[in-house]
Amino acid sequence: MVLSHSKPSSSSSLRASAGTAILGGAQVSLALLEKSMDGTNIPFVKGVAGAALEVIKIAKAIQSNRDECDNLIDRSTSLLVVILGSLAGKTEDAIPDYVRKGVERLVAAFHEVLAGLRIIEKRAHNWRAILYYLDNGEKLKDCLAKLNWAMDEFQVTSRVDSCLKDLERHEELRKGQERILESQQELHQEVKQELQRGRNEVRGGFLEMREAIKEQNTSNPLSSMPSSVMPPDPKIFGRLQYIEKAIKLLFSSTEAKIAILGPGGIGKTSVALKVIHDALVVERFGENRCWVPCEQATSVPLFVELVAKSLKLSPSSSGDRLAEIIAFLKGSKVLYVLLFDNFETPWDIEGQQSNIADVLTALASIPSVSFIITMRGDQPPSSHTIDWTEPTLPSLSQLDLDAAEEAFLKISPHEKGGPELRALLQTLDCMPLAITLMAKLSRAGETILDLLDQWKSERTRLLDQPGGDRRNSIEVSIKLSLDSRPVKGNPDAIRLLSVLAMLPAGAALVRVPEMCPSIPGWKAALRVLRGAALVYDGADKSRIQLLSPIQSYILLHHPLEQLLLKELRHSYFKLAPQGKTVPWHPEFKEVAKQLAQEETNMEAILISALRDRTCEREEAIPLSRSYSDYLYHQQPRTEIIAEAIHVARAITSSQLAYCLYLHACIQDLQGSDDAEAEFEEARDEFFKVGDQVLAADCIGYLGSLLRDRGQYDKAHTMLQESRDTLLALGNDERAAWLLWDIGQIFTMKGEFRAACASYEQARAEFTRLGDRFGGLRCLMSLGEALEGQGECNAAESALEEARLGSLELGDLYCAAFCLRYLSDVFKRAGDYSLSLQKMEEALATFTQIGNLPMMDDRIDELRALLAT
């Protein structure tokens, strides 16, 4: 702040005499400062001056930490000089409000400093003063920092005031200039009118000229053509073999014809540019490598002009542009290669496909011309008139996982590769455009886990950019394919695509008619979808699939209509393995074969039905139970049955108890600590619905849990209670299994004689019931208990009989355990060679089973034993 002074004052003399003190760091005497303070009558100025002087006095009196004290004195003195000097000669009314507030903040800062100094001053009289030396130094530095901040703030405020005054002066100058301009306008009004008339005449001529240019552009599209300058050599990941095949084809003839096909966003343009920039291709064709960007070729003449522009031909002189192009190329003595990029645009012009085909065929007939096209679809154009160089390239597919990770990290190098990134890439089906856009979000600060969560909720909207095009928006890219003429021309194409989008594992072709009987023309619709590269054939050609981004887009923007949704769900409901869920069931193998390729789809359909607020969700609950029971004997998972429990609770379904029971069984198999609580809840629910049998069965399961935890006596009591109840209710089969469970307790305790008695009794009950499977399991356990007693011959006999019987039933699980126990029998008998043989046979059988629960543990156990 710049202040003028009408008369000399003690403050102005202070500023003159103390200037070197501020700059050089010397101290100003207290007497001079007090004299300067007496020269002002403004209360808030006196307040800040008094506080500053008090700070200086105390700082001078402190004997320790002299360097810090001297710095504090210098800063307080400088601050006081600035304030008194700036406000010298001013009355209180003349000082702006913002200055007053600034000074008041300075007073507060000085008082904070004073509080700290007084603490230090008191410490100086304490016998422990030497111990406070370091802390005093820190407090003094803090005081100094507060004063520095206060001074900076006051000076900034002063500068702002100065700027405001400058702005006021500029505003006055501007107003003066406006008055001068108004005067000039009055004096020269007549001249201005003449100038305006001249401008109108010029503008009229310009408009006429613009219309003439517009008319000329209509007849000569070359003037508005996009640039045909070849794009730079792109960075490519994981396409080396494909590129090498394309280059080999290009060199196989002087008139090679190559089509790079595939869905939008798969990287066709990048691969083609990589081919055209290859060193060998550059050496062969040199400057005669021409890029034809077909994206804006919305008519036949525009397409022809794009070709002419890429060849750098002069404007047409004959009116027959195609003839000029052909004459130029035929007359050339060098080889040319043309890259028609995004050829689907001209190819799909309504009513003009035959004309575009004629142009392409005419160019293909020139001996010195090779060309490459990139195009959405799975078939090259004009295959009946153009001999595409053999072997034709396969449609371009998604990247492998390693290449996808490399591409992502190239764009977002701060990320680290790992399971989370690879999971994200697999979610995107390793589609190059989706990877590029997702990596840019990562580079902008999004974490991989956040991107995974956002993709689940936002789907392709996450990778959309307002105003984007096919190169930077996944939604625009997919929509271009959906808006193509063939897709729009077949109403069933989008309907079938919506059906397929519901199936994450794709659809078996043989099941499509059953999935959507309301689309009798599905084969024609499928041909259209293949042609637009919206679907692709699986590895064995028996399934049709969608890339994940396309699937997500369809689910988001083209949800399945209710009739088709109902048909699709019921086709999968029929696959639910009702009553055929155990490996020893005669039809289990056939059920497992049917479900082998449909497990992922089955889970998606069941989850979808359970979450749909229609009557179908109640129908889906028992089907979810049946399917989860099947999984229990394959690869146990709880996702579907947990969802069924949630729905059963919401609609107060009687199915809740049965869902809880199965969920608890799976958790028990997985070793979860929550199984006990769930069995107890299931037991209570069974009592509510009046199912005494399963309520008792839950008690039996609770006994089994206690047995596995080593609480044998309590477990025995619960198992016996459950068995007695089931016998009373007439469920002899389950009661026999509980007796087998009791035998297991005796085996674990080493009470083999009691175990044998339990197994023999249980076997007799199973035999009476005609349950051969249960009887063989008891015979197997009996053999194990006999081995524990040292009765090797009896054990061998029982186990061999159980093994052969199990093989007859197709129960490899029981047969494998019999071999395992036989190995122990022969080891105890001293026949180590035979023991080793049986263990190897057991390992082979467990490996053959493979997909049953805990097989990996069994296999690892046997391999470890064999190794020793």
Side-chain angles (χ1 to χ4, degrees):
M1 179 164 61
V2 180
L3 298 174
S4 60
H5 307 292
S6 56
K7 61 180 181 178
S9 68
S10 57
S11 295
S12 60
S13 63
L14 171 65
R15 182 166 48 191
S17 62
T20 56
I22 297 172
L23 297 173
Q27 296 184 2
V28 179
S29 71
L30 284 173
L32 182 57
L33 290 172
E34 290 171 344
K35 181 179 178 182
S36 300
M37 187 180 71
D38 292 339
T40 179
N41 294 318
I42 303 173
F44 59 85
V45 175
K46 279 184 173 291
V48 72
L53 288 172
E54 186 67 20
V55 166
I56 293 169
K57 288 176 182 179
I58 296 176
K60 281 178 175 290
I62 294 172
Q63 297 301 314
S64 64
N65 305 92
R66 285 313 311 162
D67 288 343
E68 290 87 350
C69 288
D70 290 343
N71 289 335
L72 189 59
I73 292 168
D74 285 348
R75 181 57 64 200
S76 301
T77 302
S78 300
L79 189 53
L80 188 54
V81 168
V82 169
I83 296 168
L84 294 176
S86 299
L87 301 179
K90 290 281 188 181
T91 63
E92 185 174 359
D93 294 339
I95 296 175
D97 187 54
Y98 73 88
V99 175
R100 182 198 315 271
K101 291 180 179 178
V103 173
E104 289 172 352
R105 285 194 293 272
L106 286 173
V107 174
F110 272 119
H111 282 300
E112 288 183 20
V113 172
L114 278 172
L117 289 177
R118 286 177 178 134
I119 293 173
I120 297 171
E121 186 180 28
K122 288 180 181 178
R123 288 176 175 176
H125 304 293
N126 191 307
W127 66 273
R128 296 179 180 173
I130 187 64
L131 301 178
Y132 293 116
Y133 180 82
L134 293 176
D135 186 56
N136 291 344
E138 291 301 319
K139 287 187 179 296
L140 288 166
K141 288 177 182 178
D142 183 56
C143 292
L144 183 62
K146 289 177 180 177
L147 290 184
N148 285 337
W149 178 86
M151 175 177 271
D152 290 343
E153 183 185 38
F154 185 77
Q155 289 178 337
V156 167
T157 306
S158 300
R159 291 191 189 101
V160 170
D161 177 57
S162 178
C163 291
L164 290 173
K165 290 187 179 298
D166 288 343
L167 287 173
E168 289 176 1
R169 288 194 291 272
H170 283 303
E171 181 65 17
E172 291 178 0
L173 288 172
R174 187 186 63 78
K175 290 179 179 179
Q177 290 173 343
E178 286 180 353
R179 287 193 293 272
I180 294 171
L181 286 173
E182 288 175 2
S183 176
Q184 289 175 340
Q185 288 172 356
E186 292 175 359
L187 292 172
H188 299 287
Q189 186 64 32
E190 185 177 347
V191 174
K192 286 181 67 177
Q193 290 174 353
E194 290 295 326
L195 286 172
Q196 186 61 43
R197 280 194 293 271
R199 289 193 190 98
N200 290 339
E201 291 175 3
V202 171
R203 185 172 181 274
F206 172 76
L207 290 174
E208 290 177 7
M209 182 173 65
R210 189 173 68 178
E211 289 300 318
I213 292 172
K214 184 177 179 181
E215 183 177 352
Q216 181 181 0
N217 285 344
T218 304
S219 61
N220 180 20
L222 185 60
S223 60
S224 59
M225 286 288 97
S227 171
S228 291
V229 176
M230 182 77 70
D233 187 5
K235 181 69 174 176
I236 289 286
F237 301 92
R239 304 290 200 192
L240 182 60
Q241 290 184 351
Y242 195 99
I243 292 166
E244 287 177 348
K245 287 180 182 178
I247 293 171
K248 186 176 180 181
L249 289 174
L250 191 58
F251 276 76
S252 66
S253 168
T254 58
E255 46 186 298
K257 310 296 181 288
I258 303 170
I260 299 175
L261 307 171
I266 206 68
K268 301 182 295 295
T269 297
S270 295
V271 168
L273 287 172
K274 197 67 181 177
V275 171
I276 214 80
H277 279 290
D278 182 79
L280 293 175
V281 176
V282 173
E283 183 180 349
R284 181 180 176 90
F285 294 97
E287 295 297 318
N288 303 319
R289 296 168 298 122
C290 303
W291 179 59
V292 185
C294 301
E295 187 174 348
Q296 296 187 28
T298 54
S299 68
V300 178
L302 282 173
F303 175 62
V304 174
E305 280 296 343
L306 277 167
V307 178
K309 188 170 184 181
S310 73
L311 293 168
K312 300 181 176 61
L313 299 188
S314 302
S316 178
S317 57
S318 66
D320 190 345
R321 197 56 160 160
L322 181 59
E324 293 174 0
I325 293 170
I326 293 173
F328 170 79
L329 291 172
K330 284 185 174 180
S332 176
K333 298 184 182 299
V334 296
L335 297 177
Y336 273 87
V337 58
L338 307 179
L339 169 53
F340 297 104
D341 193 22
N342 294 313
F343 187 73
E344 69 274 358
T345 300
W347 187 248
D348 285 340
I349 300 171
E350 189 171 0
Q352 296 295 318
Q353 192 171 94
S354 60
N355 293 329
I356 293 292
D358 290 342
V359 174
L360 197 63
T361 303
L363 294 173
S365 67
I366 304 172
S368 61
V369 174
S370 297
F371 61 68
I372 303 171
I373 71 161
T374 69
M375 181 177 179
R376 296 180 183 218
D378 67 340
Q379 296 295 324
S382 299
S383 55
H384 59 291
T385 59
I386 296 177
D387 292 328
W388 295 94
T389 305
E390 296 286 347
T392 56
L393 294 171
S395 292
L396 204 59
S397 61
Q398 59 265 49
L399 296 173
D400 63 60
L401 192 54
D402 288 339
E405 186 174 29
E406 186 182 1
F408 188 100
L409 295 175
K410 183 67 176 179
I411 298 170
S412 183
H414 71 277
E415 282 293 349
K416 295 180 180 179
E420 292 171 354
L421 174 57
R422 294 172 84 86
L424 175 62
L425 297 172
Q426 288 173 319
T427 300
L428 301 175
D429 259 348
C430 295
M431 185 180 186
L433 177 58
I435 292 169
T436 298
L437 298 176
M438 195 70 84
K440 289 180 179 178
L441 292 176
S442 170
R443 187 176 62 190
E446 299 282 357
T447 68
I448 298 299
L449 289 177
D450 285 343
L451 291 173
L452 271 167
D453 289 340
Q454 290 178 60
W455 175 259
K456 290 175 184 177
S457 59
E458 298 182 43
R459 298 186 183 273
T460 49
R461 279 191 297 234
L462 177 61
L463 304 181
D464 188 30
Q465 294 187 14
D469 58 23
R470 70 172 78 197
R471 293 176 296 273
N472 56 27
S473 171
I474 198 75
E475 294 219 332
V476 171
S477 178
I478 295 170
K479 191 173 185 301
L480 281 171
S481 295
L482 294 174
D483 288 343
S484 65
R485 181 178 51 81
V487 175
K488 280 196 166 183
N490 188 319
D492 285 337
I494 298 294
R495 298 178 74 218
L496 179 60
L497 196 60
S498 297
V499 172
L500 298 175
M502 293 289 293
L503 306 173
L509 287 172
V510 296
R511 296 201 67 242
V512 173
E514 181 186 354
M515 291 176 186
C516 48
S518 294
I519 308 180
W522 69 270
K523 288 185 177 179
L526 185 56
R527 283 195 296 272
V528 169
L529 295 176
R530 279 193 179 118
L534 287 164
V535 300
Y536 66 96
D537 291 317
D540 61 357
K541 307 295 183 182
S542 66
R543 300 182 74 83
I544 196 75
Q545 294 180 284
L546 282 71
L547 288 172
S548 173
I550 296 176
Q551 178 197 21
S552 296
Y553 180 90
I554 297 301
L555 290 173
L556 189 62
H557 297 286
H558 297 277
L560 193 58
E561 59 190 69
Q562 282 300 313
L563 174 60
L564 289 174
L565 180 60
K566 189 171 184 178
E567 291 175 348
L568 177 64
R569 283 177 178 167
H570 280 270
S571 74
Y572 274 89
F573 287 173
K574 292 177 184 177
L575 287 180
Q578 300 182 52
K580 306 168 187 176
T581 60
V582 291
W584 49 90
H585 191 283
E587 298 181 43
F588 179 80
K589 287 186 177 180
E590 185 60 31
V591 169
K593 183 179 177 181
Q594 289 180 0
L595 287 174
Q597 299 295 321
E598 298 295 342
E599 287 186 8
T600 302
N601 290 341
M602 175 67 84
E603 293 174 21
I605 293 297
L606 288 173
I607 292 289
S608 166
L610 289 168
R611 292 176 178 175
D612 194 353
R613 295 184 176 277
T614 64
C615 59
E616 288 187 339
R617 68 174 177 169
E618 191 162 2
E619 182 182 356
I621 295 176
L623 295 172
S624 298
R625 277 179 48 215
S626 174
Y627 184 68
S628 296
D629 194 19
Y630 162 79
L631 292 178
Y632 175 86
H633 297 283
Q634 295 288 320
Q635 289 293 331
R637 296 192 295 277
T638 60
E639 293 83 3
I640 294 176
I641 197 65
E643 189 71 29
I645 290 172
H646 175 75
V647 174
R649 290 190 197 279
I651 64 176
T652 321
S653 170
S654 60
Q655 294 286 326
L656 175 60
Y658 303 94
C659 293
L660 286 167
Y661 175 78
L662 180 55
H663 192 256
C665 290
I666 297 174
Q667 287 195 314
D668 177 32
L669 191 64
Q670 295 175 337
S672 171
D673 292 335
D674 296 330
E676 183 176 356
E678 288 226 349
F679 274 125
E680 290 175 347
E681 185 182 1
R683 176 199 59 197
D684 296 342
E685 289 294 328
F686 280 128
F687 279 132
K688 289 180 184 177
V689 298
D691 194 329
Q692 303 296 318
V693 172
L694 284 178
D697 205 28
C698 287
I699 296 172
Y701 262 108
L702 288 167
S704 299
L705 288 175
L706 294 174
R707 176 198 64 201
D708 294 340
R709 294 174 185 173
Q711 301 179 38
Y712 299 128
D713 293 340
K714 189 174 181 181
H716 192 167
T717 300
M718 296 190 75
L719 288 169
Q720 190 63 52
E721 176 190 348
S722 177
R723 173 173 161 78
D724 292 343
T725 303
L726 289 169
L727 286 171
L729 293 170
N731 193 320
D732 292 350
E733 182 181 5
R734 181 59 186 140
W737 278 112
L738 288 169
L739 184 55
W740 177 84
D741 276 325
I742 292 171
Q744 291 282 289
I745 291 178
F746 289 130
T747 299
M748 290 177 176
K749 292 170 67 176
E751 299 176 7
F752 297 114
R753 192 170 301 280
C756 288
S758 293
Y759 294 140
E760 287 174 344
Q761 183 182 348
R763 183 187 178 200
E765 292 183 10
F766 280 124
T767 301
R768 178 176 56 81
L769 294 168
D771 187 341
R772 192 180 177 198
F773 170 79
L776 289 170
R777 285 293 175 100
C778 289
L779 187 57
M780 176 191 72
S781 297
L782 177 62
E784 180 189 12
L786 288 169
E787 186 272 330
Q789 289 186 146
E791 300 180 33
C792 293
N793 290 335
E796 179 187 353
S797 176
L799 289 168
E800 187 62 23
E801 182 184 349
R803 185 182 72 84
L804 293 174
S806 298
L807 289 175
E808 288 179 15
L809 289 181
D811 184 4
L812 293 180
Y813 190 81
C814 183
F817 270 104
C818 288
L819 287 167
R820 170 69 182 84
Y821 296 143
L822 278 168
S823 175
D824 290 340
V825 170
F826 292 123
K827 182 180 179 182
R828 177 183 282 268
D831 192 341
Y832 297 107
S833 176
L834 197 51
S835 173
L836 180 63
Q837 177 187 330
K838 293 302 178 184
M839 189 173 291
E840 288 173 341
E841 290 178 16
L843 176 60
T845 308
F846 278 125
T847 305
Q848 180 183 351
I849 298 169
N851 62 343
L852 290 183
M854 299 183 294
M855 285 303 98
D856 289 342
D857 293 340
R858 299 298 178 192
I859 292 168
D860 291 343
E861 175 196 7
L862 289 176
R863 283 178 177 159
L865 288 171
L866 285 169
T868 58

